[in-house]
Structures are given as C-alpha cells and as structure tokens.
Short mmCIF file of all heavy atoms in Angstrom, two decimals:
data_model
loop_
_atom_site.label_atom_id
_atom_site.label_comp_id
_atom_site.label_asym_id
_atom_site.label_seq_id
_atom_site.Cartn_x
_atom_site.Cartn_y
_atom_site.Cartn_z
N ILE A 1 0.86 -1.17 0.00
CA ILE A 1 0.00 0.00 0.00
C ILE A 1 0.90 1.22 0.00
O ILE A 1 1.78 1.35 0.86
CB ILE A 1 -0.98 -0.01 1.19
CG1 ILE A 1 -1.91 1.21 1.13
CG2 ILE A 1 -0.27 -0.12 2.54
CD1 ILE A 1 -3.11 1.10 2.10
N THR A 2 0.71 2.08 -0.98
CA THR A 2 1.58 3.24 -1.08
C THR A 2 1.19 4.31 -0.06
O THR A 2 0.14 4.23 0.59
CB THR A 2 1.53 3.85 -2.49
OG1 THR A 2 0.24 4.44 -2.69
CG2 THR A 2 1.80 2.80 -3.55
N SER A 3 2.01 5.33 0.03
CA SER A 3 1.70 6.45 0.93
C SER A 3 0.40 7.13 0.50
O SER A 3 -0.29 7.72 1.33
CB SER A 3 2.85 7.46 0.94
OG SER A 3 3.11 7.92 -0.38
N GLY A 4 0.07 7.02 -0.77
CA GLY A 4 -1.16 7.61 -1.27
C GLY A 4 -2.34 6.66 -1.27
O GLY A 4 -3.44 7.03 -1.71
N GLY A 5 -2.13 5.43 -0.80
CA GLY A 5 -3.25 4.49 -0.65
C GLY A 5 -3.46 3.55 -1.82
O GLY A 5 -4.47 2.83 -1.85
N ILE A 6 -2.54 3.52 -2.78
CA ILE A 6 -2.67 2.58 -3.90
C ILE A 6 -2.25 1.19 -3.42
O ILE A 6 -1.21 1.04 -2.80
CB ILE A 6 -1.82 3.03 -5.09
CG1 ILE A 6 -2.31 4.39 -5.60
CG2 ILE A 6 -1.88 2.00 -6.22
CD1 ILE A 6 -1.44 5.01 -6.65
N ILE A 7 -3.07 0.21 -3.74
CA ILE A 7 -2.90 -1.15 -3.20
C ILE A 7 -2.63 -2.14 -4.32
O ILE A 7 -3.19 -2.04 -5.42
CB ILE A 7 -4.17 -1.55 -2.42
CG1 ILE A 7 -4.26 -0.74 -1.12
CG2 ILE A 7 -4.18 -3.04 -2.11
CD1 ILE A 7 -5.57 -0.91 -0.37
N ASP A 8 -1.80 -3.12 -4.01
CA ASP A 8 -1.53 -4.21 -4.95
C ASP A 8 -1.34 -5.49 -4.16
O ASP A 8 -0.87 -5.47 -3.02
CB ASP A 8 -0.29 -3.90 -5.78
CG ASP A 8 -0.15 -4.82 -6.98
OD1 ASP A 8 -1.18 -5.39 -7.42
OD2 ASP A 8 0.96 -4.98 -7.49
N TYR A 9 -1.72 -6.62 -4.78
CA TYR A 9 -1.60 -7.93 -4.15
C TYR A 9 -0.95 -8.91 -5.11
O TYR A 9 -1.12 -8.82 -6.33
CB TYR A 9 -2.97 -8.49 -3.78
CG TYR A 9 -3.77 -7.68 -2.82
CD1 TYR A 9 -4.76 -6.80 -3.26
CD2 TYR A 9 -3.57 -7.78 -1.45
CE1 TYR A 9 -5.51 -6.05 -2.38
CE2 TYR A 9 -4.32 -7.04 -0.55
CZ TYR A 9 -5.28 -6.18 -1.03
OH TYR A 9 -6.02 -5.43 -0.14
N THR A 10 -0.26 -9.88 -4.54
CA THR A 10 0.16 -10.99 -5.37
C THR A 10 -1.07 -11.83 -5.70
O THR A 10 -2.04 -11.87 -4.93
CB THR A 10 1.23 -11.84 -4.65
OG1 THR A 10 1.83 -12.74 -5.57
CG2 THR A 10 0.65 -12.60 -3.48
N ASP A 11 -1.04 -12.50 -6.85
CA ASP A 11 -2.24 -13.18 -7.34
C ASP A 11 -2.78 -14.21 -6.36
O ASP A 11 -4.00 -14.39 -6.24
CB ASP A 11 -1.94 -13.85 -8.68
CG ASP A 11 -1.85 -12.86 -9.82
OD1 ASP A 11 -2.27 -11.70 -9.65
OD2 ASP A 11 -1.35 -13.23 -10.91
N SER A 12 -1.91 -14.90 -5.65
CA SER A 12 -2.34 -16.01 -4.80
C SER A 12 -3.18 -15.58 -3.60
O SER A 12 -3.82 -16.41 -2.97
CB SER A 12 -1.14 -16.83 -4.33
OG SER A 12 -0.28 -16.03 -3.55
N VAL A 13 -3.16 -14.30 -3.27
CA VAL A 13 -3.92 -13.83 -2.10
C VAL A 13 -5.07 -12.91 -2.47
O VAL A 13 -5.84 -12.50 -1.59
CB VAL A 13 -3.01 -13.14 -1.06
CG1 VAL A 13 -1.83 -14.03 -0.71
CG2 VAL A 13 -2.55 -11.77 -1.53
N LYS A 14 -5.20 -12.58 -3.73
CA LYS A 14 -6.28 -11.68 -4.16
C LYS A 14 -7.64 -12.26 -3.80
O LYS A 14 -7.91 -13.44 -4.02
CB LYS A 14 -6.20 -11.42 -5.66
CG LYS A 14 -5.08 -10.49 -6.06
CD LYS A 14 -5.05 -10.25 -7.56
CE LYS A 14 -3.91 -9.30 -7.94
NZ LYS A 14 -3.81 -9.11 -9.41
N GLY A 15 -8.49 -11.44 -3.21
CA GLY A 15 -9.81 -11.87 -2.79
C GLY A 15 -9.85 -12.49 -1.41
O GLY A 15 -10.92 -12.73 -0.86
N ARG A 16 -8.68 -12.76 -0.83
CA ARG A 16 -8.62 -13.36 0.50
C ARG A 16 -7.96 -12.44 1.52
O ARG A 16 -8.34 -12.43 2.69
CB ARG A 16 -7.85 -14.68 0.45
CG ARG A 16 -8.44 -15.72 -0.47
CD ARG A 16 -7.74 -17.07 -0.31
NE ARG A 16 -6.32 -17.03 -0.65
CZ ARG A 16 -5.34 -17.36 0.20
NH1 ARG A 16 -5.64 -17.77 1.43
NH2 ARG A 16 -4.08 -17.31 -0.20
N PHE A 17 -6.96 -11.69 1.10
CA PHE A 17 -6.21 -10.80 2.00
C PHE A 17 -6.55 -9.35 1.70
O PHE A 17 -6.80 -8.98 0.55
CB PHE A 17 -4.71 -10.99 1.82
CG PHE A 17 -4.14 -12.31 2.29
CD1 PHE A 17 -4.96 -13.36 2.66
CD2 PHE A 17 -2.77 -12.48 2.38
CE1 PHE A 17 -4.44 -14.57 3.09
CE2 PHE A 17 -2.22 -13.67 2.82
CZ PHE A 17 -3.05 -14.72 3.16
N THR A 18 -6.51 -8.52 2.75
CA THR A 18 -6.74 -7.09 2.60
C THR A 18 -5.68 -6.32 3.37
O THR A 18 -5.53 -6.53 4.58
CB THR A 18 -8.13 -6.69 3.10
OG1 THR A 18 -9.13 -7.44 2.41
CG2 THR A 18 -8.37 -5.20 2.90
N ILE A 19 -4.97 -5.45 2.68
CA ILE A 19 -3.99 -4.58 3.34
C ILE A 19 -4.62 -3.22 3.58
O ILE A 19 -5.42 -2.74 2.75
CB ILE A 19 -2.70 -4.46 2.50
CG1 ILE A 19 -1.60 -3.74 3.28
CG2 ILE A 19 -2.97 -3.76 1.17
CD1 ILE A 19 -0.23 -3.76 2.59
N SER A 20 -4.29 -2.62 4.72
CA SER A 20 -4.79 -1.29 5.02
C SER A 20 -3.78 -0.59 5.92
O SER A 20 -2.87 -1.23 6.47
CB SER A 20 -6.16 -1.35 5.69
OG SER A 20 -6.09 -2.04 6.92
N ARG A 21 -3.93 0.71 6.06
CA ARG A 21 -3.03 1.45 6.92
C ARG A 21 -3.81 2.50 7.68
O ARG A 21 -4.80 3.05 7.19
CB ARG A 21 -1.90 2.10 6.12
CG ARG A 21 -2.32 3.14 5.11
CD ARG A 21 -1.14 3.55 4.20
NE ARG A 21 -0.10 4.24 4.94
CZ ARG A 21 1.16 4.41 4.50
NH1 ARG A 21 1.52 3.88 3.32
NH2 ARG A 21 2.03 5.07 5.22
N ASP A 22 -3.34 2.78 8.90
CA ASP A 22 -3.90 3.82 9.75
C ASP A 22 -2.77 4.80 10.03
O ASP A 22 -1.91 4.56 10.89
CB ASP A 22 -4.44 3.22 11.05
CG ASP A 22 -5.14 4.23 11.93
OD1 ASP A 22 -4.86 5.45 11.79
OD2 ASP A 22 -5.95 3.82 12.77
N ASN A 23 -2.77 5.89 9.29
CA ASN A 23 -1.67 6.85 9.42
C ASN A 23 -1.64 7.53 10.79
O ASN A 23 -0.59 7.95 11.26
CB ASN A 23 -1.75 7.89 8.31
CG ASN A 23 -1.40 7.31 6.94
OD1 ASN A 23 -0.70 6.30 6.84
ND2 ASN A 23 -1.93 7.93 5.89
N ALA A 24 -2.78 7.64 11.41
CA ALA A 24 -2.83 8.26 12.75
C ALA A 24 -2.15 7.39 13.80
O ALA A 24 -1.65 7.88 14.81
CB ALA A 24 -4.27 8.52 13.15
N LYS A 25 -2.13 6.08 13.54
CA LYS A 25 -1.52 5.14 14.49
C LYS A 25 -0.19 4.57 13.99
O LYS A 25 0.37 3.66 14.62
CB LYS A 25 -2.50 4.00 14.78
CG LYS A 25 -3.77 4.46 15.48
CD LYS A 25 -4.69 3.28 15.79
CE LYS A 25 -5.94 3.74 16.53
NZ LYS A 25 -6.86 2.61 16.84
#
C-alpha cells in the first residue's frame, strides 16, 4: 500500500487478503 493508498496484491492472495493502513496510528 503506497503512501497515497494505492494497493496491490500478489495473485495467490487476491480476494482473501486485505492490506490497510492507519496513518494516525
């Protein structure tokens, strides 16, 4: 996940894993 919030996944985890970030924490 980029500093601007753009997300990418490897194919094997797409639809199963979710990356997110909390900049305040």
Side-chain angles (χ1 to χ4, degrees):
I1 182 167
T2 69
S3 57
I6 298 172
I7 290 172
D8 194 22
Y9 299 98
T10 192
D11 285 346
S12 62
V13 308
K14 285 181 180 177
R16 300 189 298 122
F17 291 10
T18 302
I19 189 171
S20 61
R21 63 190 294 162
D22 185 337
N23 290 336
K25 296 182 178 180

